[in-house]
Amino acid sequence: NLQIARPKGYRVSWHANPAVEPHHFGQSHPMKPWRLTLTKQLVMAYGMHHAMDLYLARAATYEEMADFHERDYLDFLQQIMPGDIDKPDQADNVVRFNFGDDCPIFDGLYSYCSLYAGGTVDAARKLCNNQSDIAINWSGGLHHAKKAEASGFCYVNDIVLGTLQLLRHHPRVMYIDIDVHHGDGVEQAFWSTDRVLTVSFHKYDKDNFFPGTGAREDTGPAHPLNPGAHHAINVPLNDGIDDESYIALFKEVIGACMKTYQPGAIVLQCGADSLGCDRLGCFNLNVRAHGACVAYTKTFGMPLLVVGGGGYTPRNVSRAWAHETSILVEADNVIDPTIPDSVAFRNHFGPDFSLFPPLSEMRKLDNKNTRAYLEGLVEAVHEQLRYIKG
Ligand code: ZL4
Ligand code: CA
Ligand code: ZN
């Protein structure tokens, strides 16, 4: 069994509750909480749990979730049962709160939501209390939830709840979102404050890709009296972006944002649907490139809250999040890229049994992001940052 030295500089904490994992969104629904089981198996097989403080996440309380969500909505979430969706007296609320195919009502829904949200709130509090430098909750990252609306597989916005905790201790927090979808719920929640800078990289196609928001020019309400103006940065991308261009773009954009905004803490949403071969995604990233964004974010040495998000090809989601855990505990150079014999469900990782299979070659999508287009994005971000003072 591999020994990993505890990192000298950083204390890393892991926040999870295994009771999240068995929840089931329903037949053929793309969101599979079981991917968290697979992630944990990899992390443990590599021995990374020895390099972190492990915490059993509590369920977030109703009051904690009411920091962001409306009580009407939480009441509904708390009492609704799977059969109720077809009951006439619930029909109005089902529509009003946007439940349906994307956001089904399944067994244990409220406990699922409160557990993943509790993990993120706990993680944020550990950072605030200075009991951790990097806090991880792979079950969180559900960036589409609105204050009174479910959306895109997300019911409770744990990212907003965690960020609100960080804002109690830090004047400015930066939010970074590498999920292939636009982080609309987080952007909207902090739309009118200059205390959070949101940055989302995503596939953008107004009419054909969910949620259809996040155009380059959507930078926050432009009124001069709104402090939140210019505090939403959107990096809309086309199909097939490759490792090299994504990493270069990420470093330029995030480097510039950090320099200008100088936040006291960072929240990083690591949606793994930006990997190549994702069931819902359309980018061409390999596990190492996705991880390079995490590694770059870590170089700033700030309190860092790391959450999961999308990711619909479970074997690759778990590869990415295990690799990223190794980066955060500074063990990425120590672990063997061949997946250990001891890992449970090892058959899922065949035939290569590698942490880094060539995802970009397996379902080759043309890179529709020209060099000129990407340069234009970087230029536009620099222009936007001129409105922001650190
Ligand atoms: C499914 O097979 O684009 C849901 C959703 C359920 C099972 C059986 C029902 C079949 C793909 C998706 C009918 C499903 C119709 N089942 C779903 C406009 C849409 C309306 C709903 O990664 N239909 C909506 C949401 C996106 C839309 C993406 C990403 C979350 C995150 C963070 C959310 N919604 C069209 C789709 C299936 C399903 C198959 C599906 N839904 C794919 N993309 C969407 O950013 C966690
Ligand atoms: Ca995103
Ligand atoms: Zn996504």
Side-chain angles (χ1 to χ4, degrees), residues 66-143:
D67 272 354
F68 175 56
H69 292 284
E70 274 181 18
R71 287 165 191 274
D72 268 10
Y73 174 65
L74 291 175
D75 292 341
F76 178 80
L77 198 63
Q78 196 166 33
Q79 53 81 37
I80 194 75
M81 308 264 275
D84 295 350
I85 196 155
D86 299 319
K87 290 191 183 150
D89 60 322
Q90 294 291 357
D92 284 357
N93 282 338
V94 167
V95 172
R96 175 157 71 113
F97 297 134
N98 196 31
F99 288 78
D101 284 331
D102 273 356
C103 301
I105 294 157
F106 53 82
D107 274 325
L109 177 60
Y110 188 79
S111 79
Y112 167 76
C113 295
S114 51
L115 287 169
Y116 77 68
T120 303
V121 171
D122 281 356
R125 291 208 180 121
K126 280 285 163 211
L127 297 171
C128 289
N129 297 344
N130 198 21
Q131 290 173 325
S132 177
D133 301 306
I134 297 175
I136 305 172
N137 173 20
W138 292 125
S139 70
L142 299 167
H143 58 177

Side-chain angles (χ1 to χ4, degrees), residues 194-210:
D194 54 3
R195 294 188 60 203
V196 180
L197 181 69
T198 62
V199 188
S200 175
F201 298 79
H202 47 268
K203 152 86 173 178
Y204 176 70
D205 180 345
K206 192 179 186 327
D207 300 312
N208 299 305
F209 197 74
F210 187 87

